Amino acid sequence: NAGVTQTPKFQVLKTGQSMTLQCAQDMNHNSMYWYRQDPGMGLRLIYYSASEGTTDKGEVPNGYNVSRLNKREFSLRLESAAPSQTSVYFCASSLRALQETQYFGPGTRLLVL
Amino acid sequence: QKEVEQNSGPLSVPEGAIASLNCTYSDRGSQSFFWYRQYSGKSPELIMFIYSNGDKEDGRFTAQLNKASQYVSLLIRDSQPSDSATYLCAVRGVNTNAGKSTFGDGTTLTVKP
């Protein structure tokens, strides 16, 4: 089992460009999450999907959109990147919406110039 | 006031000592409490979770919860250099959907040989 995988590992964008961060899990989990982590800070929830077919905003959703493509995959899209979106992005999954253990992917480091 | 606050750190302890990491939270309705470990450049991984007042032990780790004081701590006994990492406290309230957790900014622990 690969667990939670994310692509790309690293990306540089210019202001105004768009991109999609991909996340997939092979643990048959129902719930998936996108977080961002800025230097010296904890994780802030961007969006989550409690189950296939549903998505909800988290703490910092502005500037992002998500798609729960199927049970395995949950993508995060930046339509018009801004320097304030420079961060490390983590995808996570859990068996159920209230399952305590969230399993994290390795992260995507995004730099917006 | 932040919802979840942790020691500003960094915290440095000698090998073999007890490391004490503290976390306070503002939402009295919080029900579930988590400690994650994050090595530099890596993704977070769950160490422990606790729901009830008192202590919960797992090997060298002990989580302590005091809901009246809105305080949760993590003790690491016989600290090892491999414990050097950032420790994130996460809290989830009773009305939170989809397992949304609020994270503190983390405390960086260094264990010196």
Side-chain angles (χ1 to χ4, degrees):
Chain A
N1 281 359
V4 180
T5 56
Q6 292 182 235
T7 55
K9 286 187 171 55
F10 181 72
Q11 183 73 46
V12 179
L13 290 179
K14 294 181 180 178
T15 297
Q17 288 185 318
S18 62
M19 78 163 294
T20 300
L21 282 65
Q22 307 285 356
C23 174
Q25 52 89 12
D26 62 2
M27 296 176 282
N28 202 33
H29 285 174
N30 293 299
S31 301
M32 298 184 74
Y33 315 82
W34 275 106
Y35 293 92
R36 62 176 287 173
Q37 186 175 38
D38 299 319
M41 296 183 69
L43 299 161
R44 291 185 292 171
L45 184 66
I46 305 171
Y47 271 93
Y48 64 97
S49 171
S51 61
E52 187 178 355
T54 68
T55 60
D56 283 287
K57 295 178 180 179
E59 188 183 347
V60 288
N62 290 346
Y64 305 95
N65 283 300
V66 291
S67 295
R68 184 73 183 267
L69 304 170
N70 47 56
K71 191 172 185 179
R72 290 187 64 248
E73 299 172 289
F74 188 39
S75 63
L76 178 72
R77 183 160 179 83
L78 287 71
E79 290 292 350
S80 179
S84 60
Q85 294 178 303
T86 293
S87 190
V88 180
Y89 291 84
F90 288 103
C91 177
S93 70
S94 62
L95 182 58
R96 294 179 297 274
L98 295 179
Q99 178 70 20
E100 292 76 14
T101 302
Q102 293 187 11
Y103 297 85
F104 285 82
T108 294
R109 283 158 178 74
L110 177 65
L111 174 62
V112 183
L113 301 175
Chain B
Q1 182 190 3
K2 287 186 177 180
E3 291 185 48
V4 179
E5 296 209 44
Q6 297 185 240
N7 304 42
S8 57
L11 176 65
S12 180
V13 300
E15 184 174 355
I18 296 175
S20 177
L21 304 162
N22 303 317
C23 175
T24 57
Y25 57 94
S26 60
D27 182 1
R28 277 201 175 272
S30 298
Q31 295 287 309
S32 309
F33 308 87
F34 310 86
W35 283 100
Y36 287 83
R37 177 176 62 200
Q38 186 176 24
Y39 291 113
S40 181
K42 301 296 185 182
S43 54
E45 55 180 336
L46 184 72
I47 300 175
M48 293 188 70
F49 59 84
I50 185 168
Y51 306 136
S52 305
N53 277 330
D55 295 359
K56 179 181 179 182
E57 189 173 316
D58 183 0
R60 297 186 295 111
F61 298 94
T62 299
Q64 299 176 318
L65 176 60
N66 184 325
K67 289 187 178 180
S69 300
Q70 296 175 243
Y71 174 96
V72 58
S73 66
L74 179 70
L75 300 179
I76 306 174
R77 291 183 300 281
D78 188 23
S79 296
Q80 301 297 309
S82 59
D83 295 325
S84 297
T86 296
Y87 290 80
L88 300 168
C89 172
V91 174
R92 192 169 71 216
V94 64
N95 292 319
T96 303
N97 295 324
K100 290 194 301 181
S101 297
T102 300
F103 284 80
D105 289 345
T107 299
T108 298
L109 171 66
T110 300
V111 180
K112 297 188 174 180

